[in-house]
Amino acid sequence: MSSLVAYEDSDSEEDRSGQASPARQAAATSGVELQLPSGLPAGGDAGSVRGKPSSASGSSLTLHSAPDLQYRWREGERRGCRETLTLNPPKRFPTDPWTRQASSYPCPESSRETEQGHAVKGENTSLNTQKRPAQQPQIVPGRVKPYVPKRMRLIQLDTRDTEHASDSELQLDSQHDSGLLSQVSQSVKPYLDSKYSCTEIPKRLLFKLLEHQGPVNGIQWCPVPQSSHLLLSASMDRTVKVWDAVDSGRCWKTYSSHSGAVRDACWSSCGRNILSGSFDTTAHLTDVETGQRLAELRNEFRVCCLALQPRDPNVFLCGGFSSEVKAWDCRSCQVIRSYKAGIQQTLDIVFLPEGKEFITSTDSVSRDSADRTLIAWDFQTTAKVSNQIYQERYTCPSLALHPKESVFVAQTNGNYMALFSAQRPYRINKKKRYEGHKVEGYAVGCEFSPDGSLLATGSSNGVVHFYNYLTSRVVRTLPAHQQACVCVTFHPVLPAITATCDWSGEISTWH
């Protein structure tokens, strides 16, 4: 059966004299109707049409005249009934609005037309109801910018952000590789491939660092062996400094991002970032090389102590002048957990082995007992494991974990250090007590040597005491400072290097 294709203003329409065209006459004599798919309005403007008998399934539209068909198309267009089925008009009518719309889509070969506007003989011109693949909109000069869906815009933005983040990470890595952290000290290099030997007690002064303008609250060596010649210091003069405390004794970097006194600071596990807490209620994560502030975490209290999670270096605990301890995530800058207790201040925090539990030291002391002076917490559930660990009426300004055994010590204001088990129920060792130094209200720190054989502590009179861990006896004293010595730290690689700091702002390294 022959097929017919109808066009607007084509040669198949009635001429001006009123006579029907040959195609019109053929359709009238053969009883052929112009049929559209069911559910599709007569005003559709996409696809191609083939004549079928009226007995076929689906709604049909009898082709009486071209003006009648044009009127139906205009009515459908005005009602908003636009479907994917369009008529493909001849190419010789470029000014027709339907032609401009249809030209943006490729015509199927089944409905190709000759220059006279008729279907090619012998080719299939049936309805093409298959869904065309989505095409990316292209911006053509001089035309309206195509609409981009919101979901596609969000995907494009996420892709751009990911590419930008990867580029910035590569730039930071290149900066790190060519900067301060890439330098290896000549004094440290011979010890990198060997195992840490027995700790030696220092005897003479190596360097004296005097650039801080206020008391130094804490110092820490870089945990990365290749960069272990770098020493970090936090001071009440609102600054954090990084020193070359092994080779030259000069200050490499000064970070002044805080507006209040810096109470505590520590290295990240990779050695590329510094975490610092201040009395301005903020905790900052700072890039060591560039000095750029990577994250600012604001609390509702003055920050006194920080502790990195051993299992996840992006999570840390933050305590201070508050009844709660907060767990922060540096990636999202959000509080992920909160640990609340009936206290006024958290003095120090230490994680127990494996990082599942931690101990907090508080200022909660009553007249008859020291309930809640030391509290054990479960990190995941935020539940209190025990608050009956220490029963004497002294606060504990600092805590230290043994590097090899499951024990920890607590510095007390009773001028001694108490030894506890790091496993439940955290019993105190009543046979060992490290005493002989003076605390007298200062936040005096203590630390074990890397091999666990020595325990060092400062004192209020500026003297450093070295205790034998097994016998709890004083091995040697070192008159290090004129004022209160508040921190002592052993070098993680060099067995004969120790650093100390005091309340006057002086830092000393000993050999």
Side-chain angles (χ1 to χ4, degrees):
M1 183 177 62
S2 62
S3 60
L4 298 177
V5 179
Y7 303 101
E8 180 190 8
D9 298 334
S10 64
D11 291 342
S12 62
E13 298 176 1
E14 294 183 359
D15 53 10
R16 296 181 180 178
S17 62
Q19 297 180 358
S21 63
R24 168 74 175 163
Q25 294 175 0
T29 56
S30 59
V32 175
E33 296 178 342
L34 185 65
Q35 182 181 10
L36 297 178
S38 60
L40 185 68
D45 61 352
S48 59
V49 181
R50 186 177 74 173
K52 288 186 179 181
S54 59
S55 61
S57 61
S59 59
S60 62
L61 176 67
T62 304
L63 184 66
H64 295 289
S65 63
D68 183 29
L69 182 60
Q70 179 179 1
Y71 172 76
R72 291 176 180 272
W73 283 335
R74 295 301 185 189
E75 283 293 314
E77 208 175 46
R78 186 173 61 186
R79 295 173 183 173
C81 300
R82 290 175 177 252
E83 301 294 336
T84 59
L85 188 66
T86 59
L87 292 176
N88 297 321
K91 298 180 181 179
R92 61 179 179 174
F93 299 106
T95 59
D96 190 88
W98 294 347
T99 305
R100 289 197 301 269
Q101 184 174 0
S103 62
S104 61
Y105 298 92
C107 298
E109 292 189 5
S110 60
S111 60
R112 288 183 310 184
E113 298 141 355
T114 62
E115 293 182 357
Q116 289 78 14
H118 297 284
V120 178
K121 186 175 181 180
E123 290 190 4
N124 184 19
T125 59
S126 60
L127 289 173
N128 184 10
T129 59
Q130 291 183 350
K131 187 176 181 180
R132 299 178 185 273
Q135 298 181 357
Q136 294 290 339
Q138 299 180 356
I139 300 177
V140 182
R143 295 190 179 183
V144 180
K145 184 178 179 180
Y147 171 75
V148 180
K150 183 177 180 180
R151 182 177 298 177
M152 186 181 297
R153 291 199 303 268
L154 294 176
I155 294 175
Q156 293 175 356
L157 289 176
D158 292 341
T159 305
R160 294 173 185 173
D161 294 342
T162 304
E163 293 176 354
H164 178 70
S166 60
D167 294 340
S168 62
E169 288 178 359
L170 292 176
Q171 293 177 1
L172 287 176
D173 291 341
S174 62
Q175 292 176 0
H176 288 309
D177 294 339
S178 61
L180 176 63
L181 298 177
S182 62
Q183 302 177 6
V184 180
S185 172
Q186 297 298 325
S187 302
V188 177
K189 187 178 297 184
Y191 293 87
L192 293 179
D193 298 331
S194 61
K195 188 177 180 180
Y196 187 90
S197 60
C198 181
T199 304
E200 300 178 13
I201 300 176
K203 298 179 181 180
R204 63 182 179 88
L205 180 66
L206 184 61
F207 292 110
K208 186 173 287 188
L209 316 176
L210 302 173
E211 293 193 16
H212 276 296
Q213 303 300 320
V216 178
N217 292 311
I219 53 177
Q220 184 186 17
W221 296 101
C222 182
V224 181
Q226 291 79 4
S227 304
S228 59
H229 62 287
L230 300 178
L231 182 68
L232 175 67
S233 62
S235 174
M236 300 291 285
D237 62 1
R238 305 178 183 179
T239 63
V240 176
K241 294 181 182 292
V242 173
W243 311 77
D244 181 359
V246 174
D247 294 329
S248 63
R250 67 186 184 93
C251 180
W252 280 102
K253 287 278 188 178
T254 300
Y255 310 93
S256 305
S257 60
H258 289 285
S259 59
V262 182
R263 185 61 182 84
D264 195 8
C266 59
W267 294 90
S268 62
S269 58
C270 63
R272 294 186 174 184
N273 302 322
I274 294 174
L275 181 64
S276 58
S278 171
F279 283 171
D280 62 2
T281 72
T282 62
H284 291 173
L285 186 67
T286 307
D287 186 272
V288 176
E289 291 281 356
T290 63
Q292 180 184 1
R293 186 191 308 171
L294 303 178
E296 180 179 359
L297 313 173
R298 187 167 296 277
N299 299 275
E300 295 82 18
F301 52 86
R302 296 180 180 180
V303 179
C304 293
C305 52
L306 304 168
L308 289 172
Q309 225 285 345
R311 290 188 169 184
D312 189 354
N314 296 306
V315 177
F316 70 94
L317 296 177
C318 179
F321 289 87
S322 176
S323 61
E324 64 177 345
V325 175
K326 293 184 178 181
W328 287 89
D329 192 328
C330 297
R331 294 162 295 189
S332 61
C333 296
Q334 299 291 332
V335 177
I336 57 176
R337 292 178 183 88
S338 181
Y339 310 86
K340 297 182 180 181
I343 59 175
Q344 295 182 354
Q345 181 183 357
T346 301
L347 303 178
D348 199 8
I349 304 172
V350 63
F351 272 97
L352 299 180
E354 299 182 0
K356 296 181 179 180
E357 298 174 353
F358 64 93
I359 305 293
T360 59
S361 173
T362 71
D363 65 342
S364 178
V365 177
S366 61
R367 185 175 60 180
D368 298 328
S369 65
D371 187 21
R372 301 185 303 274
T373 301
L374 295 180
I375 304 176
W377 301 84
D378 186 281
F379 178 76
Q380 293 292 338
T381 63
T382 72
K384 291 181 184 179
V385 179
S386 176
N387 61 354
Q388 303 289 334
I389 302 175
Y390 184 59
Q391 299 296 330
E392 299 188 25
R393 294 177 294 174
Y394 299 110
T395 58
C396 302
S398 64
L399 305 171
L401 182 68
H402 196 277
K404 295 183 177 181
E405 297 185 10
S406 184
V407 295
F408 69 93
V409 294
Q411 180 80 269
T412 71
N413 276 304
N415 298 330
Y416 67 91
M417 290 180 289
L419 185 66
F420 298 88
S421 173
Q423 298 178 354
R424 300 182 185 182
Y426 317 106
R427 297 182 184 276
I428 186 173
N429 190 335
K430 297 181 180 180
K431 297 181 181 181
K432 289 185 180 181
R433 177 175 287 191
Y434 306 88
E435 55 187 354
H437 60 283
K438 296 182 179 180
V439 179
E440 296 180 350
Y442 288 95
V444 177
C446 55
E447 183 179 299
F448 284 100
S449 61
D451 60 353
S453 61
L454 295 178
L455 175 61
T457 178
S459 63
S460 61
N461 56 6
V463 179
V464 179
H465 290 69
F466 296 92
Y467 294 90
N468 186 298
Y469 163 66
L470 297 177
T471 63
S472 67
R473 294 180 180 178
V474 177
V475 179
R476 183 172 297 174
T477 59
L478 179 65
H481 302 276
Q482 298 296 326
Q483 296 194 26
C485 179
V486 295
C487 188
V488 182
T489 177
F490 292 93
H491 196 279
V493 177
L494 301 176
I497 297 293
T498 304
T500 60
C501 64
D502 69 354
W503 196 246
S504 64
E506 179 181 292
I507 301 174
S508 301
T509 55
W510 305 85
H511 178 69

